Amino acid sequence: MNGPERTDILAFIEARCGRRLTLSQEADVLAALDADGDTATAFMDSFAAAFGVDLTGYEPRFHHRDAASILRPGWPFAPPHLFGVRLPVAVSTLAQAAQSGRWPVIYPVLTVAPSRQWLNVPLILIGLPVLAAAGIAVLRVL
């Protein structure tokens, strides 16, 4: 094989993050580094720059979540991964990408269901007064 090897990828990760991955952590680098959102994107961008990898085919939503945002529905709880699927980014995948110069993973074609977040507004507007009325009724009975 020509190009960077597994040891080169591990040296890059150690230089970038300041720690050595265990053998089990090598199976999922982003999870081992606890990288989501901007941290994971920055890691993948620096990997691509260091090894000359074209990340055009890389789909971050399959590998990590977006960063937490107060404006995101459900905050502070992280949303589930897309379709409940999270594909690990292994050291072997990074080595394959570095050797070929492009992202090697082929993703399934999945269509995203339309968001139902708008349902939260009527539920809150109707649910809170009903809950308050029930609470007042219980307090009057006691």
Side-chain angles (χ1 to χ4, degrees), residues 98-135:
Q99 290 169 0
S100 67
R102 61 182 177 77
W103 189 247
V105 178
I106 298 173
Y107 299 98
V109 178
L110 303 172
T111 56
V112 179
S115 174
R116 304 275 193 275
Q117 294 297 332
W118 63 270
L119 287 172
N120 291 339
V121 173
L123 288 174
I124 290 172
L125 292 176
I126 295 168
L128 285 179
V130 169
L131 185 61

Side-chain angles (χ1 to χ4, degrees), residues 53-60 62-63 102-107:
V53 176
D54 178 19
L55 290 180
T56 302
Y58 177 71
E59 289 284 342
F62 280 98
H63 301 288
R102 61 182 177 77
W103 189 247
V105 178
I106 298 173
Y107 299 98

Side-chain angles (χ1 to χ4, degrees), residues 24-77:
S24 63
Q25 290 175 329
E26 290 179 22
D28 194 352
V29 174
L30 295 178
L33 301 176
D34 195 27
D36 273 335
D38 293 338
T39 307
T41 302
F43 174 82
M44 292 304 293
D45 288 343
S46 65
F47 165 76
F51 293 101
V53 176
D54 178 19
L55 290 180
T56 302
Y58 177 71
E59 289 284 342
R61 60 189 183 165
F62 280 98
H63 301 288
H64 58 84
R65 294 182 176 102
D66 289 336
S69 171
I70 293 176
L71 300 176
R72 184 191 72 221
W75 183 87
F77 303 106

Side-chain angles (χ1 to χ4, degrees), residues 77-101:
F77 303 106
H81 286 284
L82 181 69
F83 306 111
V85 175
R86 184 183 171 283
L87 301 176
V89 176
V91 170
S92 60
T93 306
L94 295 174
Q96 187 179 3
Q99 290 169 0
S100 67

